[in-house]
Structure formats: C-alpha cells, structure tokens
Amino acid sequence: MRLKDRVAIVTGGARGIGAAYARGLAREGAAVAAVDILDPASLVKEITTNDGKAIPMVADVADESQTREMARKVAETFGRIDILINNAAFFASIDRKPFEEITVEEWDKVMAVNVRGSFLCAKAVAPYMKAQKRGKIVNVASGTFFKGNENFLHYVSSKGAVIAMTRCLARELGPYHINVNAIAPGFTMSEALLEKGENADAQTIRSRILKRRINPEDLVGTILYLSSSDSDMMTGQVLLVDGGAAFH
Ligand SMILES: NC(=O)c1ccc[n+]([C@@H]2O[C@H](COP(=O)([O-])OP(=O)(O)OC[C@H]3O[C@@H](n4cnc5c(N)ncnc54)[C@H](O)[C@@H]3O)[C@@H](O)[C@H]2O)c1
C-alpha cells in the first residue's frame, strides 16, 4: 500500500490506459477521482466493489471552469490532492494524414485537449499541492515524440509540448516539493484502439528490444513509481516505456 491516504486524479480515466492507472493507484491505497468526458461510473463501481476508494467525475479538461471545479470537488470530497495523472488526450479517434491535409480545426482540437488540458489540470491542482508542500504530477507524453512518426504531426507536436511543459513545471513547482515527471508509452493496445481494429503490427514489434505487444497494465508500474515517494528525488524527467524501441 504505497499510496495509503493519498488522493489521486486520473484524467481520461473512464477507460483504456487511464482506467488501468486508476485501478493501480486504488490498489496501492489511493482514493481516486476518475475524470473523463465519458462517464467513469462503471470503473468506479469496479474499484469500490474491490474495497478501493473512487469517485466518478464528468469534466472536459480543455475547459478552465471545469478543471477548477474538478479540483475543488476532489479536495472537498477527500480533503487533499496529492497526485495528478494528466492522461486525457485526443488520440485514438485522430485520423492520421500527411501534415498538409491537417486542418486548423483538427490541429486546434488536439492542442486544446492534449496541451491546454494538461496545463489547466496542473494549474487547477497546484494551489492545493503548494499548500500541502507536497505533490506529484505525471504528464502523459508518447514514444512518438522520440521517433517523429509521420502522418501524425498535430499529435506528436502536442506530446512534445507536454514534455516541454514537464520541464518548466518541474522548475516552477520544485520549491514546493512538487515533482513533475512524464511517462512516454510506446504504441499500447488500449480499448479504443482495439475497438478501431488497430493492433501492433509485426514491424512495430520488431522495432522493440522486448518483442511483444504493450498492454495498458505494462505502464502501471511506472505510474505508481512516479506517484509515490519512491521517486521523490526525480523531477522534470521522461520515462520511456516502449519495450526499448527508442533511446534518449
Ligand atoms: N495507446 C497508445 O498507443 C498510446 C501511446 C502513447 C501515449 N498514449 C497516451 O496515453 C493516454 C491514454 O491513451 P488511450 O489510448 O487510452 O487514449 P484514448 O483516445 O482512449 O483517450 C483517453 C481518454 O481521454 C478521454 N478524453 C478525451 N478528451 C477528453 C477531454 N477533453 N476531457 C476529459 N477526458 C477526455 C477519452 O474519453 C478517453 O477515455 C493519452 O494521453 C495518449 O496520448 C497512448
């Protein structure tokens, strides 16, 4: 129980990778707020049935009034905010295409959720973490940043911004004992991707040192490490969890 008495927010926590993070944090004893534009009720029921603590919250991370209300409600319900996992993103439903074909609307939507959303959630929880003089913010980047994948310019650029934000926030929040780090997962078989019929192809698997599919559960250990006091002397860093496909 590494996270007993801690309170965590997982954005994009209704399903897929975010739900795996929420389950893992609850298993370690944290009270979890699962926040999503989809209703996280069934995940929350699953966690509480297994004696975990969780609440569902429907909110859009790209909207400042909603992220402020999210933080206020979590602090009111559980008394504090120790951990923010900035996992929500516009990802699985993006159409991949050459950069000249990406419209301004598509570009802005990706940036609004992936970049503005992470910024707004950090901004919303910071006052609570600063008052506690303790906190862990884990941003979710992507292995695509290290590879510069083609036909995905808006998404890869947004995850580059998430890494930049991780470094700047680490400097600004470090004096308050708030650690800010990022996880960069490789191509991971999340619910939404499997529903779309996508799967890691032979070439993707060949590109890894560890030659197998990445499942959401493969990322959870890194999230727990970055959320717990095990990582107290680490900040501003990016941990690449991709089976050894890229180095940095
Ligand atoms: N699956 C992968 O291969 C992979 C690889 C690297 C990084 N990632 C990142 O991991 C995270 C999770 O990925 P996933 O595959 O589960 O993605 P996903 O597309 O299923 O989305 C994650 C969740 O975010 C929620 N969401 C979307 N917009 C939102 C908003 N405005 N406000 C609140 N919630 C919102 C969705 O409803 C969904 O539950 C994302 O940040 C993604 O960029 C995924």
Side-chain angles (χ1 to χ4, degrees):
M1 286 279 192
R2 272 187 286 176
L3 301 174
K4 196 171 171 295
D5 301 325
R6 303 281 161 82
V7 175
I9 295 174
V10 181
T11 68
R15 64 185 205 149
I17 297 175
Y21 294 160
R23 285 188 195 98
L25 291 160
R27 250 192 333 262
E28 288 291 333
V32 178
V35 179
D36 207 298
I37 43 172
L38 302 173
D39 186 0
S42 71
L43 170 79
V44 165
K45 186 150 181 254
E46 179 198 316
I47 291 175
T48 52
T49 305
N50 289 316
D51 298 327
K53 273 195 208 154
I55 54 166
M57 213 175 277
V58 174
D60 178 352
V61 296
D63 180 313
E64 186 162 27
S65 61
Q66 295 187 42
T67 54
R68 266 208 214 109
E69 178 57 14
M70 165 194 85
R72 194 198 63 74
K73 218 159 125 194
V74 173
E76 181 187 85
T77 308
F78 294 124
R80 49 192 296 118
I81 305 173
D82 300 290
I83 299 158
L84 166 68
I85 313 293
N86 256 331
N87 168 77
F90 184 43
F91 166 64
S93 45
I94 292 180
D95 291 327
R96 300 183 194 206
K97 53 175 83 161
F99 86 94
E100 297 101 321
E101 292 173 23
I102 294 173
T103 65
V104 168
E105 289 71 28
E106 288 168 323
W107 178 272
D108 286 349
K109 176 153 189 206
V110 172
M111 293 298 159
V113 181
N114 302 11
V115 184
R116 191 209 300 162
S118 298
F119 154 63
L120 289 178
C121 290
K123 193 177 171 193
V125 302
Y128 301 91
M129 292 183 174
K130 279 182 169 181
Q132 292 161 196
K133 292 220 168 0
R134 167 197 204 113
K136 299 275 183 180
I137 296 177
V138 184
N139 293 326
V140 177
S142 163
T144 58
F145 168 78
F146 296 92
K147 294 177 163 179
N149 296 43
E150 60 200 343
N151 297 328
F152 217 16
L153 186 75
H154 40 2
Y155 177 78
V156 179
S157 304
S158 76
K159 293 301 186 178
V162 165
I163 290 174
M165 199 187 306
T166 300
R167 296 174 181 175
C168 301
L169 285 175
R171 286 198 192 276
E172 291 201 36
L173 294 173
Y176 302 92
H177 308 284
I178 299 166
N179 305 63
V180 187
N181 291 294
I183 180 173
F187 188 61
T188 301
M189 300 335 300
S190 63
E191 235 170 302
L193 288 180
L194 291 171
E195 273 170 19
K196 264 179 86 183
E198 289 197 32
N199 210 333
D201 59 16
Q203 194 193 340
T204 303
I205 290 182
R206 252 199 322 273
S207 74
R208 296 177 179 151
I209 294 173
L210 306 173
K211 300 200 186 309
R212 65 167 177 84
R213 259 171 60 144
I214 303 173
N215 295 313
E217 293 68 33
D218 291 313
L219 309 173
V220 173
T222 303
I223 288 291
L224 296 179
Y225 167 66
L226 294 176
S227 301
S228 75
S229 52
D230 289 350
S231 57
D232 274 356
M233 200 51 197
M234 185 175 154
T235 198
Q237 307 303 314
V238 185
L239 291 181
L240 190 51
V241 186
D242 70 347
F247 293 115
H248 73 106

